Coordinates of all heavy atoms in Angstrom, one line a residue:
T337 N -66.6 -98.3 -26.0 CA -66.6 -99.3 -25.0 C -65.7 -98.8 -23.8 O -64.9 -98.0 -24.0 CB -66.1 -100.6 -25.5 OG1 -64.8 -100.6 -25.9 CG2 -67.0 -101.2 -26.7
K338 N -65.8 -99.6 -22.7 CA -65.0 -99.2 -21.5 C -63.5 -99.5 -21.7 O -62.6 -98.6 -21.4 CB -65.4 -100.1 -20.3 CG -64.8 -99.7 -19.0 CD -65.3 -100.5 -17.9 CE -64.6 -100.1 -16.6 NZ -65.2 -100.8 -15.4
V339 N -63.2 -100.5 -22.5 CA -61.8 -100.9 -22.7 C -61.2 -99.7 -23.6 O -60.1 -99.3 -23.3 CB -61.6 -102.2 -23.4 CG1 -60.2 -102.4 -23.8 CG2 -62.1 -103.3 -22.5
D340 N -61.9 -99.3 -24.5 CA -61.3 -98.2 -25.4 C -61.2 -97.0 -24.6 O -60.1 -96.2 -24.8 CB -62.3 -97.9 -26.6 CG -62.3 -99.1 -27.6 OD1 -61.3 -99.9 -27.5 OD2 -63.3 -99.3 -28.3
K341 N -62.1 -96.7 -23.7 CA -61.9 -95.4 -23.0 C -60.7 -95.5 -22.1 O -60.0 -94.5 -21.9 CB -63.2 -95.1 -22.1 CG -64.4 -94.7 -22.9 CD -65.6 -94.6 -22.0 CE -66.8 -94.2 -22.8 NZ -68.0 -94.1 -22.0
E342 N -60.5 -96.6 -21.4 CA -59.3 -96.8 -20.5 C -58.1 -96.7 -21.4 O -57.1 -96.0 -20.9 CB -59.4 -98.1 -19.7 CG -60.4 -98.1 -18.6 CD -60.3 -99.4 -17.8 OE1 -59.2 -100.0 -17.8 OE2 -61.3 -99.6 -17.1
T343 N -58.0 -97.3 -22.4 CA -56.8 -97.3 -23.3 C -56.5 -95.9 -23.8 O -55.4 -95.5 -23.7 CB -57.0 -98.3 -24.5 OG1 -57.3 -99.6 -24.0 CG2 -55.8 -98.4 -25.3
N344 N -57.6 -95.2 -24.2 CA -57.4 -93.9 -24.6 C -57.0 -93.0 -23.5 O -56.1 -92.1 -23.6 CB -58.7 -93.3 -25.2 CG -58.6 -92.0 -25.9 OD1 -57.4 -91.7 -26.4 ND2 -59.6 -91.3 -26.0
F345 N -57.5 -93.2 -22.3 CA -57.1 -92.4 -21.1 C -55.7 -92.6 -20.8 O -54.9 -91.7 -20.6 CB -58.0 -92.7 -19.9 CG -57.6 -92.0 -18.6 CD1 -57.8 -90.8 -18.4 CD2 -57.0 -92.8 -17.6 CE1 -57.4 -90.1 -17.2 CE2 -56.6 -92.2 -16.4 CZ -56.8 -90.8 -16.3
Q346 N -55.2 -93.9 -20.7 CA -53.8 -94.2 -20.4 C -52.9 -93.7 -21.5 O -51.8 -93.3 -21.1 CB -53.7 -95.7 -20.2 CG -54.3 -96.2 -18.9 CD -54.0 -97.7 -18.7 OE1 -53.7 -98.4 -19.6 NE2 -54.4 -98.1 -17.5
S347 N -53.2 -93.7 -22.7 CA -52.3 -93.1 -23.7 C -52.2 -91.7 -23.6 O -51.2 -91.2 -24.1 CB -52.9 -93.6 -25.1 OG -54.1 -92.8 -25.4
Q348 N -53.1 -90.9 -23.0 CA -53.0 -89.5 -22.9 C -52.1 -89.1 -21.6 O -51.7 -87.9 -21.5 CB -54.4 -89.0 -22.7 CG -55.3 -89.0 -23.9 CD -56.7 -88.5 -23.7 OE1 -57.0 -88.1 -22.6 NE2 -57.4 -88.5 -24.7
L349 N -51.9 -90.1 -20.7 CA -51.1 -89.8 -19.5 C -49.6 -89.7 -19.9 O -49.1 -90.5 -20.7 CB -51.4 -90.8 -18.5 CG -52.7 -90.9 -17.8 CD1 -52.8 -92.0 -16.9 CD2 -53.1 -89.5 -17.2
T350 N -48.9 -88.7 -19.3 CA -47.5 -88.7 -19.5 C -46.8 -89.7 -18.5 O -47.4 -90.3 -17.7 CB -46.9 -87.3 -19.2 OG1 -47.2 -87.0 -17.8 CG2 -47.6 -86.2 -20.0
F351 N -45.5 -89.9 -18.8 CA -44.7 -90.9 -17.9 C -44.7 -90.3 -16.5 O -44.9 -91.1 -15.6 CB -43.3 -90.9 -18.5 CG -42.4 -91.7 -17.5 CD1 -42.5 -93.1 -17.5 CD2 -41.6 -91.1 -16.7 CE1 -41.7 -93.8 -16.6 CE2 -40.6 -91.8 -15.9 CZ -40.8 -93.2 -15.8
E352 N -44.7 -89.0 -16.4 CA -44.7 -88.4 -15.0 C -46.0 -88.6 -14.3 O -46.1 -89.0 -13.2 CB -44.4 -87.0 -15.1 CG -44.2 -86.3 -13.7 CD -43.8 -84.9 -13.8 OE1 -42.7 -84.6 -14.4 OE2 -44.6 -84.0 -13.3
D353 N -47.1 -88.5 -15.0 CA -48.4 -88.8 -14.4 C -48.5 -90.3 -14.0 O -49.0 -90.6 -12.9 CB -49.5 -88.5 -15.5 CG -49.7 -87.0 -15.7 OD1 -49.2 -86.2 -14.9 OD2 -50.2 -86.7 -16.8
L354 N -48.1 -91.2 -14.8 CA -48.1 -92.6 -14.6 C -47.2 -92.9 -13.3 O -47.7 -93.7 -12.5 CB -47.7 -93.4 -15.7 CG -48.7 -93.5 -16.9 CD1 -48.1 -94.2 -18.1 CD2 -50.0 -94.1 -16.5
N355 N -46.1 -92.3 -13.3 CA -45.2 -92.6 -12.2 C -45.8 -92.0 -10.9 O -45.7 -92.7 -9.8 CB -43.9 -91.8 -12.4 CG -42.8 -92.4 -11.6 OD1 -42.8 -93.5 -11.2 ND2 -41.7 -91.6 -11.4
F356 N -46.5 -90.9 -11.0 CA -47.2 -90.3 -9.8 C -48.3 -91.2 -9.3 O -48.4 -91.4 -8.1 CB -47.7 -88.9 -10.1 CG -48.2 -88.2 -9.0 CD1 -47.5 -87.8 -7.9 CD2 -49.5 -87.8 -9.0 CE1 -48.0 -87.2 -6.8 CE2 -50.1 -87.1 -7.9 CZ -49.3 -86.8 -6.8
L357 N -49.1 -91.8 -10.3 CA -50.1 -92.6 -9.9 C -49.5 -93.9 -9.2 O -50.2 -94.5 -8.3 CB -50.9 -93.0 -11.2 CG -51.9 -91.9 -11.7 CD1 -52.5 -92.4 -13.0 CD2 -52.9 -91.6 -10.7
K358 N -48.4 -94.4 -9.7 CA -47.8 -95.5 -9.1 C -47.5 -95.2 -7.6 O -47.7 -96.1 -6.8 CB -46.5 -96.0 -9.9 CG -45.9 -97.2 -9.4 CD -44.6 -97.5 -10.2 CE -43.5 -96.6 -9.7 NZ -42.2 -97.0 -10.1
F359 N -46.9 -94.1 -7.3 CA -46.6 -93.8 -5.9 C -47.9 -93.6 -5.1 O -47.8 -94.1 -4.0 CB -45.7 -92.4 -5.9 CG -44.3 -92.7 -6.2 CD1 -43.8 -92.3 -7.4 CD2 -43.5 -93.3 -5.3 CE1 -42.4 -92.5 -7.7 CE2 -42.1 -93.5 -5.5 CZ -41.6 -93.0 -6.7
L360 N -48.9 -93.0 -5.6 CA -50.1 -92.8 -4.9 C -50.7 -94.2 -4.5 O -51.2 -94.4 -3.4 CB -51.1 -92.0 -5.7 CG -50.8 -90.5 -5.7 CD1 -51.8 -89.7 -6.6 CD2 -50.7 -89.9 -4.3
N361 N -50.7 -95.1 -5.5 CA -51.3 -96.4 -5.3 C -50.5 -97.2 -4.3 O -51.1 -97.8 -3.4 CB -51.4 -97.2 -6.6 CG -52.5 -96.8 -7.5 OD1 -53.6 -96.4 -6.9 ND2 -52.4 -96.9 -8.8
K362 N -49.2 -97.1 -4.3 CA -48.4 -97.8 -3.3 C -48.7 -97.2 -1.9 O -48.8 -98.0 -1.0 CB -46.9 -97.7 -3.7 CG -46.0 -98.5 -2.8 CD -44.6 -98.5 -3.4 CE -43.7 -99.4 -2.7 NZ -42.3 -99.4 -3.1
S363 N -48.7 -95.9 -1.9 CA -49.0 -95.3 -0.6 C -50.3 -95.7 -0.1 O -50.5 -95.9 1.2 CB -48.9 -93.7 -0.8 OG -49.2 -93.1 0.4
K364 N -51.3 -95.7 -0.9 CA -52.7 -96.1 -0.5 C -52.7 -97.5 0.0 O -53.3 -97.8 1.0 CB -53.6 -96.0 -1.7 CG -55.0 -96.5 -1.5 CD -55.8 -96.7 -2.6 CE -55.4 -97.9 -3.4 NZ -56.1 -98.3 -4.5
E365 N -51.9 -98.4 -0.6 CA -51.9 -99.9 -0.2 C -51.3 -99.9 1.2 O -51.8 -100.7 2.1 CB -51.0 -100.7 -1.2 CG -51.7 -100.9 -2.5 CD -53.1 -101.5 -2.5 OE1 -53.3 -102.5 -1.7 OE2 -54.0 -101.1 -3.2
Y366 N -50.3 -99.1 1.5 CA -49.7 -99.1 2.9 C -50.8 -98.7 3.9 O -50.9 -99.1 5.0 CB -48.5 -98.3 3.0 CG -47.2 -99.1 2.5 CD1 -46.5 -98.6 1.4 CD2 -46.8 -100.2 3.2 CE1 -45.4 -99.3 1.1 CE2 -45.7 -100.9 2.8 CZ -45.0 -100.4 1.7 OH -43.8 -101.1 1.3
L367 N -51.6 -97.6 3.5 CA -52.6 -97.1 4.4 C -53.6 -98.2 4.7 O -54.1 -98.3 5.8 CB -53.3 -95.8 3.8 CG -52.4 -94.6 3.9 CD1 -53.1 -93.5 3.2 CD2 -52.1 -94.2 5.3
I368 N -54.0 -98.9 3.6 CA -55.1 -100.0 3.8 C -54.6 -101.0 4.8 O -55.5 -101.4 5.6 CB -55.3 -100.6 2.5 CG1 -56.1 -99.5 1.6 CG2 -56.1 -101.9 2.6 CD1 -56.3 -100.1 0.1
I369 N -53.3 -101.3 4.9 CA -52.9 -102.3 5.8 C -52.5 -101.7 7.1 O -52.0 -102.4 8.0 CB -51.7 -103.2 5.3 CG1 -50.5 -102.4 4.9 CG2 -52.1 -104.0 4.1 CD1 -49.3 -103.2 4.6
G370 N -52.7 -100.4 7.3 CA -52.4 -99.7 8.6 C -51.0 -99.3 8.8 O -50.6 -98.9 9.9
N371 N -50.2 -99.2 7.8 CA -48.8 -98.8 7.9 C -48.6 -97.4 7.4 O -48.1 -97.1 6.3 CB -47.9 -99.8 7.2 CG -46.4 -99.6 7.6 OD1 -46.1 -98.6 8.1 ND2 -45.7 -100.6 7.3
I372 N -49.0 -96.4 8.3 CA -49.0 -95.0 7.9 C -47.5 -94.5 7.7 O -47.3 -93.7 6.8 CB -49.7 -94.2 8.9 CG1 -49.9 -92.7 8.3 CG2 -49.0 -94.1 10.2 CD1 -50.9 -91.9 9.1
N373 N -46.6 -95.1 8.5 CA -45.2 -94.7 8.3 C -44.7 -95.0 6.9 O -44.0 -94.1 6.3 CB -44.4 -95.3 9.4 CG -43.1 -94.6 9.6 OD1 -43.0 -93.4 9.6 ND2 -42.0 -95.4 9.9
E374 N -44.9 -96.2 6.4 CA -44.4 -96.5 5.1 C -45.2 -95.7 4.0 O -44.5 -95.3 3.0 CB -44.6 -98.0 4.8 CG -43.5 -98.9 5.4 CD -42.1 -98.5 4.9 OE1 -41.9 -98.2 3.7 OE2 -41.3 -98.4 5.8
S375 N -46.4 -95.4 4.2 CA -47.2 -94.6 3.3 C -46.5 -93.2 3.2 O -46.4 -92.7 2.1 CB -48.6 -94.5 3.8 OG -49.3 -93.7 2.9
I376 N -46.1 -92.7 4.4 CA -45.5 -91.4 4.3 C -44.1 -91.4 3.6 O -43.8 -90.6 2.8 CB -45.3 -90.9 5.8 CG1 -46.6 -90.6 6.5 CG2 -44.3 -89.7 5.9 CD1 -46.5 -90.4 8.1
N377 N -43.4 -92.5 3.9 CA -42.1 -92.6 3.3 C -42.2 -92.7 1.8 O -41.3 -92.2 1.0 CB -41.3 -93.8 3.8 CG -40.9 -93.6 5.2 OD1 -40.6 -92.4 5.7 ND2 -40.7 -94.7 6.0
V378 N -43.2 -93.5 1.3 CA -43.4 -93.6 -0.2 C -43.6 -92.2 -0.8 O -43.0 -91.9 -1.8 CB -44.6 -94.5 -0.4 CG1 -44.9 -94.4 -1.9 CG2 -44.2 -96.0 -0.1
L379 N -44.4 -91.4 -0.2 CA -44.7 -90.1 -0.8 C -43.5 -89.1 -0.6 O -43.2 -88.3 -1.5 CB -45.9 -89.5 -0.2 CG -47.2 -90.2 -0.6 CD1 -48.4 -89.6 0.0 CD2 -47.4 -90.2 -2.2
K380 N -42.7 -89.2 0.5 CA -41.6 -88.4 0.7 C -40.5 -88.8 -0.4 O -39.9 -87.9 -0.9 CB -41.0 -88.6 2.1 CG -41.7 -87.9 3.2 CD -40.9 -88.1 4.5 CE -41.6 -87.3 5.6 NZ -40.9 -87.5 6.9
N381 N -40.4 -90.1 -0.7 CA -39.4 -90.5 -1.6 C -39.8 -90.3 -3.1 O -39.0 -90.6 -4.0 CB -39.0 -91.9 -1.3 CG -38.3 -92.1 0.0 OD1 -37.6 -91.1 0.5 ND2 -38.4 -93.2 0.7
S382 N -41.0 -89.9 -3.3 CA -41.5 -89.8 -4.7 C -40.9 -88.6 -5.4 O -41.0 -88.6 -6.6 CB -43.1 -89.7 -4.7 OG -43.4 -88.4 -4.2
S383 N -40.4 -87.7 -4.7 CA -39.8 -86.4 -5.4 C -40.8 -85.6 -6.0 O -40.4 -84.8 -6.9 CB -38.6 -86.8 -6.2 OG -39.0 -87.4 -7.4
F384 N -42.0 -85.8 -5.8 CA -43.0 -84.8 -6.4 C -43.3 -83.7 -5.4 O -43.5 -84.0 -4.3 CB -44.4 -85.6 -6.6 CG -44.2 -86.6 -7.8 CD1 -44.2 -88.0 -7.5 CD2 -44.3 -86.2 -9.1 CE1 -44.0 -88.9 -8.6 CE2 -44.1 -87.1 -10.1 CZ -44.0 -88.5 -9.9
D385 N -43.2 -82.6 -6.0 CA -43.5 -81.4 -5.2 C -44.9 -80.8 -5.4 O -45.1 -80.2 -6.4 CB -42.4 -80.3 -5.5 CG -42.4 -79.2 -4.4 OD1 -42.9 -79.4 -3.3 OD2 -41.9 -78.1 -4.8
D386 N -45.8 -81.2 -4.5 CA -47.2 -80.7 -4.7 C -47.6 -80.2 -3.3 O -47.4 -81.0 -2.3 CB -48.1 -81.9 -5.1 CG -49.5 -81.5 -5.3 OD1 -49.8 -80.9 -6.3 OD2 -50.3 -81.8 -4.4
I387 N -48.3 -79.1 -3.2 CA -48.7 -78.5 -2.0 C -49.6 -79.4 -1.2 O -49.4 -79.6 0.0 CB -49.4 -77.1 -2.2 CG1 -48.4 -76.1 -2.8 CG2 -50.0 -76.7 -1.0 CD1 -49.0 -74.8 -3.3
D388 N -50.6 -80.0 -1.9 CA -51.5 -80.9 -1.2 C -50.8 -82.2 -0.7 O -51.1 -82.6 0.5 CB -52.7 -81.3 -2.1 CG -53.6 -80.2 -2.4 OD1 -53.7 -79.2 -1.6 OD2 -54.2 -80.1 -3.5
I389 N -49.9 -82.8 -1.5 CA -49.2 -84.0 -0.9 C -48.3 -83.6 0.2 O -48.2 -84.3 1.2 CB -48.4 -84.5 -2.1 CG1 -49.3 -85.0 -3.3 CG2 -47.5 -85.7 -1.7 CD1 -50.2 -86.2 -2.9
N390 N -47.6 -82.5 0.1 CA -46.7 -82.1 1.2 C -47.5 -81.8 2.5 O -47.1 -82.1 3.6 CB -45.9 -80.8 0.8 CG -44.9 -81.1 -0.2 OD1 -44.5 -82.3 -0.4 ND2 -44.5 -80.1 -1.0
Q391 N -48.8 -81.2 2.3 CA -49.6 -81.0 3.5 C -50.0 -82.3 4.1 O -50.1 -82.5 5.3 CB -50.8 -80.2 3.1 CG -51.6 -79.8 4.2 CD -51.0 -79.0 5.3 OE1 -50.3 -78.0 5.0 NE2 -51.1 -79.4 6.6
W392 N -50.4 -83.2 3.2 CA -50.8 -84.6 3.7 C -49.7 -85.3 4.4 O -49.9 -85.9 5.5 CB -51.3 -85.5 2.6 CG -51.8 -86.8 3.0 CD1 -53.1 -87.0 3.4 CD2 -51.1 -87.9 3.3 NE1 -53.2 -88.4 3.9 CE2 -52.0 -88.9 3.8 CE3 -49.7 -88.3 3.1 CZ2 -51.6 -90.2 4.1 CZ3 -49.4 -89.5 3.5 CH2 -50.3 -90.5 4.0
I393 N -48.5 -85.2 3.9 CA -47.3 -85.7 4.6 C -47.1 -85.1 6.0 O -46.9 -85.8 7.0 CB -46.0 -85.6 3.7 CG1 -46.1 -86.5 2.4 CG2 -44.8 -85.9 4.5 CD1 -45.1 -86.2 1.4
D394 N -47.2 -83.8 6.0 CA -47.1 -83.2 7.4 C -48.2 -83.6 8.3 O -47.9 -84.0 9.5 CB -47.1 -81.6 7.2 CG -45.9 -81.1 6.5 OD1 -44.9 -81.8 6.5 OD2 -46.0 -79.9 6.0
D395 N -49.5 -83.6 7.9 CA -50.5 -84.1 8.7 C -50.4 -85.5 9.1 O -50.6 -85.9 10.3 CB -51.9 -83.8 8.0 CG -52.2 -82.4 7.8 OD1 -51.6 -81.5 8.5 OD2 -53.1 -82.1 7.0
A396 N -50.0 -86.4 8.2 CA -49.9 -87.8 8.5 C -48.7 -88.0 9.5 O -48.8 -88.9 10.4 CB -49.6 -88.6 7.2
S397 N -47.7 -87.3 9.4 CA -46.6 -87.3 10.3 C -47.0 -87.0 11.7 O -46.6 -87.6 12.6 CB -45.4 -86.5 9.8 OG -44.9 -86.9 8.6
D398 N -47.7 -85.9 11.8 CA -48.3 -85.4 13.1 C -49.1 -86.5 13.6 O -49.1 -86.8 14.8 CB -49.0 -84.1 13.0 CG -48.2 -82.9 12.7 OD1 -46.9 -83.0 12.8 OD2 -48.7 -81.9 12.2
L399 N -49.9 -87.1 12.9 CA -50.8 -88.2 13.3 C -50.1 -89.4 13.8 O -50.2 -90.0 14.9 CB -51.8 -88.6 12.3 CG -52.7 -89.8 12.6 CD1 -53.6 -89.5 13.7 CD2 -53.5 -90.2 11.3
N400 N -49.0 -89.7 13.1 CA -48.2 -90.9 13.4 C -47.4 -90.6 14.7 O -47.3 -91.4 15.6 CB -47.2 -91.2 12.3 CG -46.6 -92.5 12.5 OD1 -47.2 -93.5 12.8 ND2 -45.3 -92.6 12.2
N401 N -46.9 -89.4 14.8 CA -46.1 -89.0 16.1 C -47.1 -89.0 17.3 O -46.8 -89.5 18.4 CB -45.5 -87.6 16.0 CG -44.4 -87.7 15.0 OD1 -43.7 -88.7 14.7 ND2 -44.0 -86.5 14.4
S402 N -48.3 -88.6 17.1 CA -49.3 -88.5 18.2 C -49.6 -89.9 18.6 O -49.8 -90.3 19.8 CB -50.5 -87.8 17.7 OG -50.2 -86.4 17.5
R403 N -49.8 -90.8 17.6 CA -50.1 -92.2 17.9 C -49.0 -92.9 18.7 O -49.3 -93.7 19.7 CB -50.5 -92.9 16.6 CG -51.0 -94.4 16.9 CD -51.5 -95.1 15.6 NE -50.4 -95.1 14.6 CZ -50.6 -95.6 13.4 NH1 -51.8 -96.1 13.0 NH2 -49.6 -95.7 12.5
E404 N -47.8 -92.6 18.3 CA -46.6 -93.2 19.0 C -46.6 -92.7 20.5 O -46.3 -93.4 21.4 CB -45.4 -92.9 18.3 CG -45.2 -93.7 16.9 CD -43.9 -93.2 16.2 OE1 -43.3 -92.3 16.6 OE2 -43.7 -93.8 15.1
K405 N -46.8 -91.5 20.7 CA -46.8 -90.8 22.0 C -47.9 -91.4 22.8 O -47.7 -91.7 24.0 CB -46.9 -89.4 22.0 CG -45.6 -88.7 21.4 CD -45.7 -87.3 21.4 CE -44.4 -86.7 20.8 NZ -44.4 -85.2 20.8
L406 N -49.1 -91.6 22.2 CA -50.2 -92.2 23.0 C -49.9 -93.6 23.4 O -50.2 -94.0 24.5 CB -51.5 -92.2 22.1 CG -52.8 -92.6 22.7 CD1 -53.2 -91.8 23.9 CD2 -53.9 -92.6 21.7
E407 N -49.4 -94.4 22.5 CA -49.0 -95.8 22.9 C -47.9 -95.8 23.9 O -48.0 -96.6 24.8 CB -48.4 -96.5 21.6 CG -49.4 -96.8 20.6 CD -48.9 -97.4 19.3 OE1 -47.7 -97.5 19.1 OE2 -49.7 -97.6 18.3
S408 N -47.0 -94.9 23.9 CA -46.0 -94.8 25.0 C -46.7 -94.4 26.4 O -46.4 -95.0 27.4 CB -45.0 -93.7 24.7 OG -44.1 -93.6 25.7
L409 N -47.6 -93.5 26.3 CA -48.3 -93.1 27.5 C -49.2 -94.3 28.0 O -49.2 -94.5 29.2 CB -49.2 -92.0 27.2 CG -50.2 -91.4 28.3 CD1 -49.4 -91.0 29.5 CD2 -51.1 -90.3 27.9
E410 N -49.8 -95.0 27.1 CA -50.6 -96.2 27.5 C -49.7 -97.2 28.2 O -50.1 -97.7 29.2 CB -51.2 -96.8 26.2 CG -52.1 -97.9 26.6 CD -52.7 -98.6 25.3 OE1 -52.1 -98.4 24.2 OE2 -53.8 -99.1 25.5
S411 N -48.6 -97.4 27.7 CA -47.5 -98.4 28.3 C -47.1 -97.9 29.7 O -47.1 -98.7 30.6 CB -46.3 -98.5 27.5 OG -46.6 -99.1 26.2
M412 N -46.8 -96.6 29.8 CA -46.5 -96.1 31.1 C -47.6 -96.2 32.1 O -47.4 -96.6 33.3 CB -46.1 -94.6 30.9 CG -44.7 -94.4 30.3 SD -44.4 -92.7 29.8 CE -44.8 -91.8 31.3
L413 N -48.8 -96.0 31.7 CA -50.0 -96.1 32.6 C -50.2 -97.5 33.0 O -50.5 -97.8 34.2 CB -51.2 -95.5 32.0 CG -51.3 -94.0 31.8 CD1 -52.5 -93.5 31.1 CD2 -51.3 -93.3 33.2
L414 N -50.1 -98.4 32.1 CA -50.3 -99.8 32.4 C -49.2 -100.3 33.4 O -49.4 -101.1 34.3 CB -50.3 -100.7 31.1 CG -51.5 -100.6 30.3 CD1 -51.3 -101.3 28.9 CD2 -52.7 -101.1 31.0
E415 N -48.0 -99.8 33.2 CA -46.9 -100.2 34.2 C -47.1 -99.6 35.5 O -47.0 -100.3 36.5 CB -45.6 -99.6 33.6 CG -44.4 -100.1 34.4 CD -43.1 -99.5 33.7 OE1 -42.9 -99.6 32.5 OE2 -42.2 -99.1 34.6
I416 N -47.7 -98.5 35.7 CA -47.9 -97.8 36.9 C -49.1 -98.5 37.6 O -49.0 -98.9 38.7 CB -48.3 -96.3 36.7 CG1 -47.0 -95.6 36.4 CG2 -48.8 -95.8 38.1 CD1 -47.3 -94.1 36.0
I417 N -50.2 -98.8 36.8 CA -51.4 -99.5 37.3 C -51.0 -100.9 37.8 O -51.4 -101.4 38.8 CB -52.5 -99.6 36.3 CG1 -53.0 -98.1 36.1 CG2 -53.5 -100.5 36.7 CD1 -54.0 -98.0 34.9
G418 N -50.2 -101.6 37.0 CA -49.7 -102.9 37.3 C -48.9 -103.0 38.6 O -49.1 -103.9 39.4
K419 N -48.1 -102.0 39.0 CA -47.4 -101.9 40.2 C -48.3 -101.8 41.4 O -48.1 -102.4 42.5 CB -46.4 -100.8 40.2 CG -45.2 -101.0 39.3 CD -44.3 -99.9 39.3 CE -43.1 -100.1 38.4 NZ -42.2 -98.9 38.3
D420 N -49.4 -101.0 41.2 CA -50.4 -100.9 42.3 C -51.3 -102.1 42.5 O -51.7 -102.3 43.6 CB -51.3 -99.7 42.0 CG -50.6 -98.4 42.0 OD1 -49.5 -98.3 42.6 OD2 -51.1 -97.4 41.4
V421 N -51.4 -102.9 41.5 CA -52.2 -104.1 41.7 C -51.6 -105.2 42.6 O -52.2 -105.8 43.3 CB -52.6 -104.8 40.3 CG1 -53.3 -106.1 40.4 CG2 -53.5 -103.8 39.5
Y422 N -50.3 -105.3 42.4 CA -49.6 -106.4 43.2 C -49.2 -105.7 44.6 O -48.9 -105.8 45.5 CB -48.3 -106.8 42.5 CG -48.6 -107.5 41.2 CD1 -48.3 -106.9 39.9 CD2 -49.2 -108.8 41.2 CE1 -48.6 -107.5 38.8 CE2 -49.4 -109.4 40.1 CZ -49.2 -108.9 38.8 OH -49.4 -109.5 37.6

């Protein structure tokens, strides 16, 4: 049955695997609500050293920095345009 399979699967996981899954789930939840910065922080603080995770952290950090710069540029442009309107 499905319950037996899940129970069997969970009993085969080590504490480290379960801990890693906890961090991944928490990071995913932050992504779902649109908080990429907290998602990055969760994985950075997880102390798991994995090439794919580290690459994702780097890519997500670049994305977050680009989004912040874009928002700053947008604010500057709106300020300039607003001065021209009046």
Side-chain angles (χ1 to χ4, degrees):
T337 66
K338 185 176 181 178
V339 175
D340 291 339
K341 287 179 183 177
E342 283 186 26
T343 304
N344 191 25
F345 173 73
Q346 287 182 349
S347 66
Q348 292 175 357
L349 294 175
T350 65
F351 175 75
E352 186 174 301
D353 292 338
L354 290 173
N355 201 24
F356 185 63
L357 288 174
K358 182 181 82 171
F359 280 106
L360 287 178
N361 282 327
K362 188 173 183 180
S363 178
K364 176 192 75 170
E365 294 298 322
Y366 279 118
L367 285 176
I368 288 172
I369 62 171
N371 193 341
I372 193 168
N373 197 38
E374 278 303 314
S375 180
I376 293 167
N377 288 336
V378 166
L379 291 178
K380 278 184 178 178
N381 295 330
S382 69
S383 74
F384 290 103
D385 190 23
D386 180 80
I387 293 171
D388 292 329
I389 296 293
N390 291 337
Q391 183 62 49
W392 184 90
I393 290 170
D394 291 341
D395 291 345
S397 295
D398 290 344
L399 175 64
N400 196 41
N401 290 336
S402 297
R403 186 170 60 183
E404 289 173 358
K405 289 179 182 179
L406 184 61
E407 288 173 0
S408 176
L409 177 61
E410 182 181 26
S411 294
M412 289 170 43
L413 289 173
L414 287 173
E415 187 176 315
I416 291 169
I417 291 171
K419 288 179 182 177
D420 290 342
V421 171
Y422 296 109

